[in-house]
Amino acid sequence: MKKILIVSLVLFAGKTFAQDINKIINVAEVERIEKVLASDEMQGRKTFTPGIAKASAFIEDEFKKAGLQYWKGLNSYKQEFFMFESLNASAVVKIDEQLIADTAVVAVSFQEKTSLSEKNTEVMSISATDDFRKKYSEALASKKNLLVLVDASFNSFVKRLKSRPQSKFEQPENSIVFVFGVTKANSFSVELVNKIFKKPLNNVVGVLQGKSKPNEYVIFSGHYDHLGIGKAVNNDSIYNGANDDAAGSTAVMLLARYFKALNNNERTLIFTTFTAEEIGGFGAQYFSKQFNPAQVMAMFNIEMIGTESKWGKNAAYITGYEKTDMGKILQGNLEGSQFKFYPDPYTEQNLFYRSDNATLARLGVPAHTISTSKMDNEPNYHKVSDEVSTLDLNNMTEIIKAIAISSKGIVSGKETPTRVDAGSLK
Ligand SMILES: [Zn+2]
């Protein structure tokens, strides 16, 4: 009796397991969630807008329905924080007694009013042969007042930089002023007036406490922010971001429900959708400061899994594949199935550094992004046409299931990826 009973129990368990994954992770659910997150009502989910607040409320509700716990110390799924945002209201710049046209000035300052001159400000130059982006970020990272004289060959950057609001966790005391098309300054004066805003934003975080290894974390993440509303193309001005990254967020919500239903995770699982990825990765940066990174065994960051990969269906790639053995572990769990994970084929694009996994990887965490996006030829990437109708929801469902199955050993605590050598990263 006993033997027979055990056998039938095992068979039964095997059957429900197989049924459960399709019951929870299926096309109808993927479509339901995608259609909400990528709807015009969410207004492109731009950070600091009412649209992203609606998206947050929806994800919170899904986490609640999934039965997730709150992150320690919080009393909701909202992991809220604040950022300072600065808008330059006016910049009067004189160099060698000459008034500089406003169209040649980009000011970055978090002071409501400030005056710069050679007495309190250093001068730096960006010449025609320099890497502008690199020098620009170097200047921005400075703690001193800087007047940066930029070669006229970079004039095309002015418009873009001016339209980009500056956001920071802290309110820096120094100011940085870029003047384009001027190569020398013997004397100068700058008068800046800025509008400073302190704005709330939030990640959405839910937890499934680990049974025997609660202090070992496994993170499943995506970002729920996108680009908002922009210039109309064919009467459409909303960047719906169905693939980028409503797709990853959808995966996070369904994986949460799946692992809750399995109810056998030995490690603590953290499900999070980050804010502010598109404007600098601030959501992941804040999130990464809320725990000891040594406790994180793996991070599955999921970005743009809604289109077919360059290898066709049932395949995805893992960024930074060679930096840990996590990719091999995941592939091992997929053996015998029709899914395949490949190393990132677009390494020249530095995708490993271009999503929220990089923040955790810099702390040594085996943190990779899983994606299917054809980055050399993805027609709707960062366009108003990134809509649900352009996605292959069947394939996306299979990718989410593959992530669930491939993470089995890591979730159970039986497999532990090697750590990223943070010193080797860019
Ligand atoms: Zn993205």
Side-chain angles (χ1 to χ4, degrees), residues 394-412:
N394 281 300
N395 187 50
M396 181 172 149
T397 306
E398 296 306 313
I399 302 295
I400 299 170
K401 278 156 56 178
I403 294 169
I405 291 161
S406 67
S407 66
K408 202 165 58 181
I410 293 175
V411 167
S412 71

PDB file of all heavy atoms in Angstrom, residues 394-412:
ATOM      1  N   ASN A 394       3.067  34.566 -27.567  1.00  0.00           N
ATOM      2  CA  ASN A 394       3.276  33.127 -27.352  1.00  0.00           C
ATOM      3  C   ASN A 394       4.725  32.841 -27.011  1.00  0.00           C
ATOM      4  O   ASN A 394       5.028  32.132 -26.051  1.00  0.00           O
ATOM      5  CB  ASN A 394       2.890  32.337 -28.614  1.00  0.00           C
ATOM      6  CG  ASN A 394       1.388  32.167 -28.712  1.00  0.00           C
ATOM      7  OD1 ASN A 394       0.771  31.587 -27.825  1.00  0.00           O
ATOM      8  ND2 ASN A 394       0.812  32.718 -29.762  1.00  0.00           N
ATOM      9  N   ASN A 395       5.613  33.402 -27.805  1.00  0.00           N
ATOM     10  CA  ASN A 395       7.039  33.191 -27.569  1.00  0.00           C
ATOM     11  C   ASN A 395       7.460  33.789 -26.228  1.00  0.00           C
ATOM     12  O   ASN A 395       8.221  33.189 -25.470  1.00  0.00           O
ATOM     13  CB  ASN A 395       7.846  33.808 -28.716  1.00  0.00           C
ATOM     14  CG  ASN A 395       9.316  33.467 -28.625  1.00  0.00           C
ATOM     15  OD1 ASN A 395       9.682  32.306 -28.477  1.00  0.00           O
ATOM     16  ND2 ASN A 395      10.160  34.487 -28.671  1.00  0.00           N
ATOM     17  N   MET A 396       6.902  34.971 -25.931  1.00  0.00           N
ATOM     18  CA  MET A 396       7.232  35.634 -24.664  1.00  0.00           C
ATOM     19  C   MET A 396       6.831  34.745 -23.480  1.00  0.00           C
ATOM     20  O   MET A 396       7.568  34.625 -22.497  1.00  0.00           O
ATOM     21  CB  MET A 396       6.507  36.983 -24.601  1.00  0.00           C
ATOM     22  CG  MET A 396       6.787  37.782 -23.362  1.00  0.00           C
ATOM     23  SD  MET A 396       6.057  39.439 -23.534  1.00  0.00           S
ATOM     24  CE  MET A 396       5.676  39.768 -21.806  1.00  0.00           C
ATOM     25  N   THR A 397       5.684  34.102 -23.592  1.00  0.00           N
ATOM     26  CA  THR A 397       5.224  33.193 -22.542  1.00  0.00           C
ATOM     27  C   THR A 397       6.217  32.050 -22.344  1.00  0.00           C
ATOM     28  O   THR A 397       6.542  31.677 -21.213  1.00  0.00           O
ATOM     29  CB  THR A 397       3.835  32.623 -22.919  1.00  0.00           C
ATOM     30  OG1 THR A 397       2.958  33.719 -23.180  1.00  0.00           O
ATOM     31  CG2 THR A 397       3.266  31.766 -21.812  1.00  0.00           C
ATOM     32  N   GLU A 398       6.707  31.519 -23.460  1.00  0.00           N
ATOM     33  CA  GLU A 398       7.676  30.413 -23.376  1.00  0.00           C
ATOM     34  C   GLU A 398       8.970  30.881 -22.722  1.00  0.00           C
ATOM     35  O   GLU A 398       9.605  30.137 -21.978  1.00  0.00           O
ATOM     36  CB  GLU A 398       7.958  29.830 -24.777  1.00  0.00           C
ATOM     37  CG  GLU A 398       6.731  29.176 -25.428  1.00  0.00           C
ATOM     38  CD  GLU A 398       6.077  28.113 -24.535  1.00  0.00           C
ATOM     39  OE1 GLU A 398       6.797  27.262 -23.990  1.00  0.00           O
ATOM     40  OE2 GLU A 398       4.841  28.149 -24.387  1.00  0.00           O
ATOM     41  N   ILE A 399       9.391  32.111 -23.010  1.00  0.00           N
ATOM     42  CA  ILE A 399      10.628  32.645 -22.415  1.00  0.00           C
ATOM     43  C   ILE A 399      10.452  32.755 -20.887  1.00  0.00           C
ATOM     44  O   ILE A 399      11.341  32.403 -20.118  1.00  0.00           O
ATOM     45  CB  ILE A 399      10.979  34.037 -23.002  1.00  0.00           C
ATOM     46  CG1 ILE A 399      11.131  33.982 -24.527  1.00  0.00           C
ATOM     47  CG2 ILE A 399      12.239  34.608 -22.343  1.00  0.00           C
ATOM     48  CD1 ILE A 399      12.251  33.172 -25.063  1.00  0.00           C
ATOM     49  N   ILE A 400       9.290  33.244 -20.466  1.00  0.00           N
ATOM     50  CA  ILE A 400       9.048  33.393 -19.014  1.00  0.00           C
ATOM     51  C   ILE A 400       9.070  32.020 -18.341  1.00  0.00           C
ATOM     52  O   ILE A 400       9.668  31.835 -17.278  1.00  0.00           O
ATOM     53  CB  ILE A 400       7.707  34.116 -18.747  1.00  0.00           C
ATOM     54  CG1 ILE A 400       7.732  35.524 -19.353  1.00  0.00           C
ATOM     55  CG2 ILE A 400       7.432  34.204 -17.238  1.00  0.00           C
ATOM     56  CD1 ILE A 400       6.380  36.238 -19.348  1.00  0.00           C
ATOM     57  N   LYS A 401       8.452  31.034 -19.000  1.00  0.00           N
ATOM     58  CA  LYS A 401       8.488  29.676 -18.454  1.00  0.00           C
ATOM     59  C   LYS A 401       9.918  29.148 -18.389  1.00  0.00           C
ATOM     60  O   LYS A 401      10.313  28.490 -17.421  1.00  0.00           O
ATOM     61  CB  LYS A 401       7.604  28.746 -19.302  1.00  0.00           C
ATOM     62  CG  LYS A 401       6.134  28.861 -18.894  1.00  0.00           C
ATOM     63  CD  LYS A 401       5.134  28.465 -19.966  1.00  0.00           C
ATOM     64  CE  LYS A 401       5.249  27.113 -20.564  1.00  0.00           C
ATOM     65  NZ  LYS A 401       4.180  26.854 -21.558  1.00  0.00           N
ATOM     66  N   ALA A 402      10.702  29.468 -19.416  1.00  0.00           N
ATOM     67  CA  ALA A 402      12.094  29.006 -19.437  1.00  0.00           C
ATOM     68  C   ALA A 402      12.879  29.624 -18.274  1.00  0.00           C
ATOM     69  O   ALA A 402      13.715  28.962 -17.652  1.00  0.00           O
ATOM     70  CB  ALA A 402      12.746  29.373 -20.766  1.00  0.00           C
ATOM     71  N   ILE A 403      12.599  30.890 -17.978  1.00  0.00           N
ATOM     72  CA  ILE A 403      13.287  31.532 -16.849  1.00  0.00           C
ATOM     73  C   ILE A 403      12.896  30.821 -15.546  1.00  0.00           C
ATOM     74  O   ILE A 403      13.735  30.511 -14.704  1.00  0.00           O
ATOM     75  CB  ILE A 403      12.958  33.042 -16.798  1.00  0.00           C
ATOM     76  CG1 ILE A 403      13.548  33.742 -18.029  1.00  0.00           C
ATOM     77  CG2 ILE A 403      13.514  33.681 -15.514  1.00  0.00           C
ATOM     78  CD1 ILE A 403      13.072  35.173 -18.229  1.00  0.00           C
ATOM     79  N   ALA A 404      11.603  30.524 -15.414  1.00  0.00           N
ATOM     80  CA  ALA A 404      11.125  29.836 -14.207  1.00  0.00           C
ATOM     81  C   ALA A 404      11.825  28.493 -14.035  1.00  0.00           C
ATOM     82  O   ALA A 404      12.313  28.160 -12.953  1.00  0.00           O
ATOM     83  CB  ALA A 404       9.610  29.636 -14.294  1.00  0.00           C
ATOM     84  N   ILE A 405      11.891  27.739 -15.125  1.00  0.00           N
ATOM     85  CA  ILE A 405      12.455  26.384 -15.039  1.00  0.00           C
ATOM     86  C   ILE A 405      13.969  26.430 -14.861  1.00  0.00           C
ATOM     87  O   ILE A 405      14.545  25.696 -14.070  1.00  0.00           O
ATOM     88  CB  ILE A 405      12.042  25.574 -16.295  1.00  0.00           C
ATOM     89  CG1 ILE A 405      10.527  25.294 -16.224  1.00  0.00           C
ATOM     90  CG2 ILE A 405      12.824  24.274 -16.404  1.00  0.00           C
ATOM     91  CD1 ILE A 405       9.900  24.927 -17.545  1.00  0.00           C
ATOM     92  N   SER A 406      14.613  27.351 -15.564  1.00  0.00           N
ATOM     93  CA  SER A 406      16.083  27.397 -15.517  1.00  0.00           C
ATOM     94  C   SER A 406      16.604  27.875 -14.165  1.00  0.00           C
ATOM     95  O   SER A 406      17.735  27.607 -13.794  1.00  0.00           O
ATOM     96  CB  SER A 406      16.616  28.298 -16.627  1.00  0.00           C
ATOM     97  OG  SER A 406      16.252  29.648 -16.373  1.00  0.00           O
ATOM     98  N   SER A 407      15.763  28.583 -13.414  1.00  0.00           N
ATOM     99  CA  SER A 407      16.205  29.129 -12.124  1.00  0.00           C
ATOM    100  C   SER A 407      15.998  28.149 -10.971  1.00  0.00           C
ATOM    101  O   SER A 407      16.342  28.450  -9.831  1.00  0.00           O
ATOM    102  CB  SER A 407      15.432  30.425 -11.828  1.00  0.00           C
ATOM    103  OG  SER A 407      14.063  30.145 -11.643  1.00  0.00           O
ATOM    104  N   LYS A 408      15.446  26.990 -11.286  1.00  0.00           N
ATOM    105  CA  LYS A 408      15.049  25.996 -10.278  1.00  0.00           C
ATOM    106  C   LYS A 408      16.136  25.719  -9.223  1.00  0.00           C
ATOM    107  O   LYS A 408      15.877  25.810  -8.023  1.00  0.00           O
ATOM    108  CB  LYS A 408      14.708  24.697 -11.030  1.00  0.00           C
ATOM    109  CG  LYS A 408      13.831  23.732 -10.317  1.00  0.00           C
ATOM    110  CD  LYS A 408      13.281  22.676 -11.283  1.00  0.00           C
ATOM    111  CE  LYS A 408      14.411  21.916 -11.985  1.00  0.00           C
ATOM    112  NZ  LYS A 408      13.908  20.900 -12.954  1.00  0.00           N
ATOM    113  N   GLY A 409      17.343  25.418  -9.703  1.00  0.00           N
ATOM    114  CA  GLY A 409      18.427  25.063  -8.776  1.00  0.00           C
ATOM    115  C   GLY A 409      18.880  26.228  -7.929  1.00  0.00           C
ATOM    116  O   GLY A 409      19.314  26.053  -6.782  1.00  0.00           O
ATOM    117  N   ILE A 410      18.798  27.421  -8.477  1.00  0.00           N
ATOM    118  CA  ILE A 410      19.201  28.615  -7.727  1.00  0.00           C
ATOM    119  C   ILE A 410      18.131  28.944  -6.681  1.00  0.00           C
ATOM    120  O   ILE A 410      18.447  29.281  -5.540  1.00  0.00           O
ATOM    121  CB  ILE A 410      19.450  29.803  -8.696  1.00  0.00           C
ATOM    122  CG1 ILE A 410      20.673  29.497  -9.576  1.00  0.00           C
ATOM    123  CG2 ILE A 410      19.659  31.101  -7.918  1.00  0.00           C
ATOM    124  CD1 ILE A 410      20.967  30.522 -10.652  1.00  0.00           C
ATOM    125  N   VAL A 411      16.871  28.790  -7.060  1.00  0.00           N
ATOM    126  CA  VAL A 411      15.761  29.060  -6.129  1.00  0.00           C
ATOM    127  C   VAL A 411      15.775  28.059  -4.966  1.00  0.00           C
ATOM    128  O   VAL A 411      15.534  28.417  -3.810  1.00  0.00           O
ATOM    129  CB  VAL A 411      14.409  29.000  -6.890  1.00  0.00           C
ATOM    130  CG1 VAL A 411      13.230  28.967  -5.926  1.00  0.00           C
ATOM    131  CG2 VAL A 411      14.288  30.187  -7.835  1.00  0.00           C
ATOM    132  N   SER A 412      16.131  26.813  -5.286  1.00  0.00           N
ATOM    133  CA  SER A 412      16.114  25.781  -4.242  1.00  0.00           C
ATOM    134  C   SER A 412      17.374  25.810  -3.379  1.00  0.00           C
ATOM    135  O   SER A 412      17.455  25.095  -2.392  1.00  0.00           O
ATOM    136  CB  SER A 412      15.989  24.399  -4.883  1.00  0.00           C
ATOM    137  OG  SER A 412      17.194  24.079  -5.544  1.00  0.00           O
TER     138      SER A 412
END
